[in-house]
Amino acid sequence: TSLLLSNNDDEVLSLRDDESDDIKNGDKKLFRAIAALSFAILVQSYLVISVFPYSGFLAMHLIPDLDEETAGSYAGFIAFSFMAGRTFSSFEWGKAADRYGRVFVIKLSLLLCAALSIIFGLAPTYLMALVFRFLLG
């Protein structure tokens, strides 16, 4: 049997059953790729905004004599360090993707994000938290 696909009235494509199976398999691969990239974007977005609710409290915890009135500027540096790290590293990540492949670089970046997020959360000093947040970017 064959399957008829039509893009418009003038053009009709005929596919055999084995060709339609190839298209279905291709659709599954495309769906997996889109799902993986969507997950990567979700993780990166979460890393950017997740620190905002608690960064002031984190700064007060890591700097002993800091009060609530001055914690905001230190919290801003915590948020800023991520974007500064992203600014300086994005070009290098692009070159690495060209050299080693996009899939490998995305997997490596997600692995590093997971490890550096944990290390950032366990940082004992404010300076170490800034450094790990910078590397996380």
Side-chain angles (χ1 to χ4, degrees):
T1 65
S2 65
L3 175 69
L4 295 177
L5 296 176
S6 175
N7 292 338
N8 56 33
D9 292 335
D10 298 333
E11 184 178 309
V12 176
L13 301 174
S14 175
L15 297 176
R16 295 187 317 262
D17 285 337
D18 56 340
E19 289 175 342
S20 64
D21 289 340
D22 290 341
I23 290 174
K24 290 177 186 176
N25 290 336
D27 287 345
K28 288 180 184 178
K29 288 181 183 180
L30 179 64
F31 177 77
R32 281 192 218 137
I34 291 172
L37 288 175
S38 298
F39 178 72
I41 290 171
L42 176 71
V43 168
Q44 291 297 319
S45 299
Y46 178 76
L47 290 174
V48 170
I49 63 170
S50 68
V51 75
F52 294 136
Y54 63 85
S55 59
F57 298 109
L58 179 65
M60 289 189 328
H61 174 74
L62 295 176
I63 302 172
D65 295 330
L66 195 64
D67 60 353
E68 291 179 5
E69 293 179 8
T70 56
S73 60
Y74 291 97
F77 283 121
I78 292 173
F80 164 75
S81 63
F82 180 85
M83 294 311 291
R86 180 168 280 186
T87 299
F88 291 114
S89 68
S90 61
F91 186 70
E92 298 303 320
W93 279 112
K95 289 194 310 189
D98 290 341
R99 177 174 285 173
Y100 302 111
R102 293 173 300 195
V103 174
F104 174 75
V105 170
I106 287 175
K107 288 179 182 179
L108 178 65
S109 69
L110 288 175
L111 179 69
L112 287 173
C113 285
L116 288 170
S117 292
I118 293 170
I119 295 170
F120 165 71
L122 298 174
T125 65
Y126 180 75
L127 183 60
M128 288 180 71
L130 284 179
V131 168
F132 290 126
R133 185 82 175 153
F134 179 84
L135 294 174
L136 189 55

